[in-house]
Amino acid sequence: MQIGEIPANFGVKHSKMRGDIHFEPMTVGMILDAAIRIYFRNFWLLVGIAAVGYLPQLLLPLLVALAQALDSDLSMLIIMLGALGNLVWWLLLYPWTLGAATYAISRIYLGEEADLWKALRVALDEVGTLFLTSLIVSVIVFIGLLLLIVPGILWWLSYSLIVPVIMLEGTNSQEARWRSRELTRNYRGRILVLFVIVIFLQFVAQLAAIGLVGALFENILLTQAVQWVATVLAVPLPIVLTILLYYDLRIRKEGFDLELLSGALGRSRPQSTLGLV
């Protein structure tokens, strides 16, 4: 099977009369199965996007460790700079990675070819909106976590689809937050179950990889490098899951049609489809 080919049994069905692809609602098991299939059948593309976005996450700890080894008097300053770098990564590079993966997986879902560098370029056009929205949502979720944790979790689930909304509908930050809340309304429990399962799988895989290396070698830099590799390998799966959830909820709530997605991906900068549904 070539990259971009859609398996016939993971949430789409083919019309025998016209050969068209029609989306249909998926169960929790179908979504997990679809996410895993897409991940493995497009492994290098998705891992490549994650590797580009997560490169600073590899370099920052290595630079901090090197600087501390050379001059211990600068340790606190270096740690602060590292924390600032992580914040920039979380608010800017991480959303960019999510946006690029969203575009690539959307093309794959349509049975079209996806290119790593084109996906990164398309996401770069939306990086300002992705940054602003991520900043606002991070503040909202943080405040919610301070309010006995539960509100933060609920708000995190409500805003879990902001990246697909921005990339596929061309919305601004305010519209993206509203759309994500509307799409996830009454389905947050289902979303939570799916994310818990995937996060658990990620945690087990990363823990096993780090534990194995730690048992064989006593090298901090090597352990950090292995942790980075394990993270890059694990990151694409929840991204795929998020995109499939976006499609599934639009199907359930709006009778989402293939032509809408095709039209959105065919534009250099998608226009909002809010008025079309």
Side-chain angles (χ1 to χ4, degrees):
M1 179 173 288
Q2 298 178 348
I3 290 178
E5 184 176 352
I6 298 181
N9 61 343
F10 74 95
V12 297
K13 56 184 179 180
H14 300 270
S15 170
K16 295 182 179 180
M17 296 180 61
R18 297 186 305 162
D20 297 334
I21 300 173
H22 299 280
F23 288 98
E24 63 182 2
M26 293 184 284
T27 64
V28 168
M30 290 173 66
I31 292 176
L32 289 172
D33 178 63
I36 292 171
R37 285 172 182 264
I38 292 175
Y39 172 80
F40 282 109
R41 291 176 177 176
N42 302 276
F43 179 82
W44 293 113
L45 171 65
L46 298 178
V47 169
I49 292 174
V52 172
Y54 274 76
L55 185 59
Q57 289 295 90
L58 172 65
L59 297 179
L60 283 173
L62 296 180
L63 291 175
V64 169
L66 179 61
Q68 287 178 327
L70 295 176
D71 191 343
S72 59
D73 294 335
L74 296 177
S75 296
M76 184 57 64
L77 176 61
I78 293 168
I79 291 174
M80 292 176 62
L81 291 176
L84 179 61
N86 280 318
L87 180 62
V88 172
W89 171 83
W90 173 254
L91 293 175
L92 191 61
L93 293 181
Y94 180 62
W96 177 46
T97 302
L98 294 182
T102 296
Y103 177 82
I105 294 168
S106 296
R107 294 189 65 87
I108 292 167
Y109 202 67
L110 287 172
E112 301 173 358
E113 292 185 359
D115 177 79
L116 185 153
W117 299 113
K118 182 176 181 180
L120 291 171
R121 289 196 303 270
V122 171
L124 190 61
D125 292 337
E126 303 289 347
V127 75
T129 303
L130 292 169
F131 164 76
L132 177 61
T133 309
S134 297
L135 177 61
I136 295 173
V137 169
S138 295
V139 172
I140 292 173
V141 172
F142 178 74
I143 294 174
L145 292 175
L146 294 179
L147 300 174
L148 301 178
I149 299 178
V150 174
I153 295 175
L154 293 177
W155 288 338
W156 168 63
L157 294 170
S158 296
Y159 294 123
S160 59
L161 301 182
I162 55 172
V163 174
V165 168
I166 291 171
M167 292 301 301
L168 300 180
E169 300 184 21
T171 60
N172 59 36
S173 178
Q174 183 177 359
E175 290 173 333
R177 298 194 307 274
W178 177 85
R179 279 287 286 161
S180 183
R181 288 199 307 269
E182 289 301 309
L183 287 172
T184 57
R185 191 184 303 276
N186 300 325
Y187 286 93
R188 289 182 295 190
R190 188 167 183 263
I191 296 172
L192 179 61
V193 169
L194 283 165
F195 276 118
V196 167
I197 293 173
V198 169
I199 291 173
F200 175 76
L201 293 175
Q202 280 185 300
F203 175 76
V204 171
Q206 290 177 301
L207 189 64
I210 296 170
L212 179 61
V213 173
L216 297 176
F217 307 98
E218 295 183 359
N219 187 300
I220 296 178
L221 295 181
L222 180 60
T223 301
Q224 289 177 334
V226 171
Q227 184 176 3
W228 179 83
V229 171
T231 300
V232 166
L233 293 177
V235 158
L237 189 57
I239 298 177
V240 176
L241 179 71
T242 300
I243 297 166
L244 294 181
L245 278 169
Y246 167 82
Y247 296 150
D248 184 64
L249 291 177
R250 289 205 66 179
I251 293 164
R252 293 174 181 276
K253 292 192 169 189
E254 304 169 344
F256 185 60
D257 189 79
L258 182 65
E259 283 74 17
L260 291 179
L261 179 57
S262 299
L265 291 177
R267 305 185 187 102
S268 58
R269 172 175 170 78
Q271 297 178 359
S272 175
T273 59
L274 291 177
L276 301 178
V277 294

